[in-house]
Amino acid sequence: MAVLRIVSYNIHKGRSAMGARESLSALRLGLYGLRPDLLFLQEVQGRNERESILDAQHESLGAALGMGVCYGCNVVHAQTDHGNAFLSRHPILSYENQDISDHRLEQRGLLHATILVDETLVHCIVVHLGLFAGGRSRQIHALVERIKRLVPAEDPLLIAGDFNDWTNRLAPLFVKQLGLYEVFALSPQGLTARQLPLRKTVRRLGSSLRGLYVPKPLSEAVYELGVDGAARGTPPPRTFPAAFPWLRLDRIYQRGFAVRNARVLHGNPWRQLSDHVPIFAELELP
């Protein structure tokens, strides 16, 4: 039995939430304190010829955390490039970056790595999907096709990253087609009150708008299925913007694991290090 500490994080190219200053040094220290086994990172700069401190961010983090690393470059400019990165304390056996760009103005990729945890092969995919619904739909189709083609049904699978899916339309597809579950839907505590900043504000707003509210049918209100197949209305967490998380953009999906806990890392220092806050989960591999 292995327990994996997993973090998914859009690091905003190593700059603070508003982009005014470098935050990679503090981010490196914050991640070190989490003692992660696997890191699924988005908006990582592999090259920055303007600011050397922001160059080769995946290598810098890998060296500081003592983790193996692979990088998938998606966007190339004259002096910089960026993409997704995957870091692991377990051996990385292989990796491939698949271009899933929907148009020239928005370059996206799937970084697919395989690792060995004890003697079990685990597939790990880092994603950062597009901003437009039509593009995300086609990118999800490419993701599903890749998994069905390359990932055996019996192999454990992790997919994490920035899905840009604030309407949460993707979960039913994952559940039905791939047997995947979002970690908060299976976490013993779900989204607790501690993990829900704005709770009082939202309650007050809800009270003032209650007369205008029309309840959705149960079939539309269910976000995921529970571990026993029963419906559980736990939505993914709010992760953006970091200072005032409201949109549900970041996810960790899993297959073949037991979820020990899942939480969003709100507050300091995380709200200052990027425009997103990270998601942390502990998953048990039987």
Side-chain angles (χ1 to χ4, degrees):
M1 180 186 71
V3 177
L4 301 178
R5 298 168 63 87
I6 297 169
V7 175
S8 178
Y9 197 10
N10 182 325
I11 68 169
H12 199 216
K13 303 174 189 175
R15 304 200 68 86
S16 60
M18 300 302 294
R21 57 181 175 80
E22 172 269 326
S23 65
L24 187 64
S25 302
L27 186 146
R28 188 186 303 119
L29 184 62
L31 290 176
Y32 182 86
L34 295 178
R35 297 180 292 111
D37 297 300
L38 304 178
L39 278 174
F40 296 73
L41 302 180
Q42 307 88 54
E43 291 197 21
V44 179
Q45 285 197 325
R47 177 176 59 95
N48 189 323
E49 297 175 2
R50 293 194 297 259
E51 297 180 73
S52 60
I53 193 171
L54 295 176
D55 187 54
Q57 296 174 2
H58 56 299
E59 295 178 1
S60 171
L61 290 169
L65 300 173
M67 303 174 76
V69 61
C70 54
Y71 171 66
C73 178
N74 297 326
V75 182
V76 179
H77 299 297
Q79 293 182 294
T80 65
D81 64 56
H82 68 271
N84 299 322
F86 174 72
L87 285 73
S88 173
R89 293 196 188 280
H90 298 272
I92 299 175
L93 303 182
S94 65
Y95 71 92
E96 181 182 10
N97 193 52
Q98 178 180 337
D99 185 357
I100 57 167
S101 303
D102 194 57
H103 50 82
R104 293 178 59 186
L105 298 179
E106 198 177 36
Q107 303 297 309
R108 304 290 180 176
L110 303 174
L111 181 57
H112 181 178
T114 57
I115 63 173
L116 195 64
V117 180
D118 297 334
E119 298 182 358
T120 301
L121 185 70
V122 178
H123 292 259
C124 303
I125 302 178
V126 191
V127 304
H128 187 186
L129 301 186
L131 296 173
F132 302 101
R136 286 197 302 275
S137 178
R138 289 182 284 273
Q139 289 162 357
I140 283 295
H141 178 78
L143 173 60
V144 170
E145 189 278 332
R146 180 180 185 88
I147 292 170
K148 289 184 174 180
R149 178 168 50 90
L150 297 176
V151 182
E154 65 275 11
D155 284 3
L157 172 63
L158 294 165
I159 305 175
D162 180 354
F163 283 80
N164 273 318
D165 179 38
W166 48 86
T167 59
N168 197 37
R169 300 294 185 186
L170 303 178
L173 184 146
F174 280 130
V175 170
K176 292 176 183 178
Q177 295 196 31
L178 298 175
L180 289 162
Y181 295 92
E182 199 271 327
V183 293
F184 283 90
L186 300 184
S187 173
Q189 79 276 22
L191 278 171
T192 65
R194 283 175 174 262
Q195 296 170 286
L196 290 171
L198 317 178
R199 183 167 59 99
K200 293 181 180 178
T201 303
V202 171
R203 184 186 297 135
R204 287 196 298 268
L205 179 62
S207 297
S208 64
L209 299 177
R210 188 166 296 145
L212 304 177
Y213 175 67
V214 178
K216 290 184 177 182
L218 179 61
S219 60
E220 296 181 23
V222 171
Y223 292 90
E224 302 285 347
L225 298 180
V227 68
D228 58 354
R232 175 170 168 179
T234 303
R238 302 181 191 272
T239 58
F240 179 88
F244 195 77
W246 184 252
L247 297 179
R248 308 177 191 276
L249 303 188
D250 302 272
R251 318 279 172 84
I252 301 175
Y253 288 96
Q254 63 82 27
R255 184 176 74 192
F257 293 84
V259 181
R260 284 195 168 189
N261 69 78
R263 54 194 171 98
V264 182
L265 303 180
H266 291 297
N268 291 326
W270 306 108
R271 67 180 179 183
Q272 302 172 348
L273 302 183
S274 172
D275 55 350
H276 291 241
V277 288
I279 299 173
F280 175 89
E282 285 187 320
L283 306 182
E284 184 178 309
L285 185 63

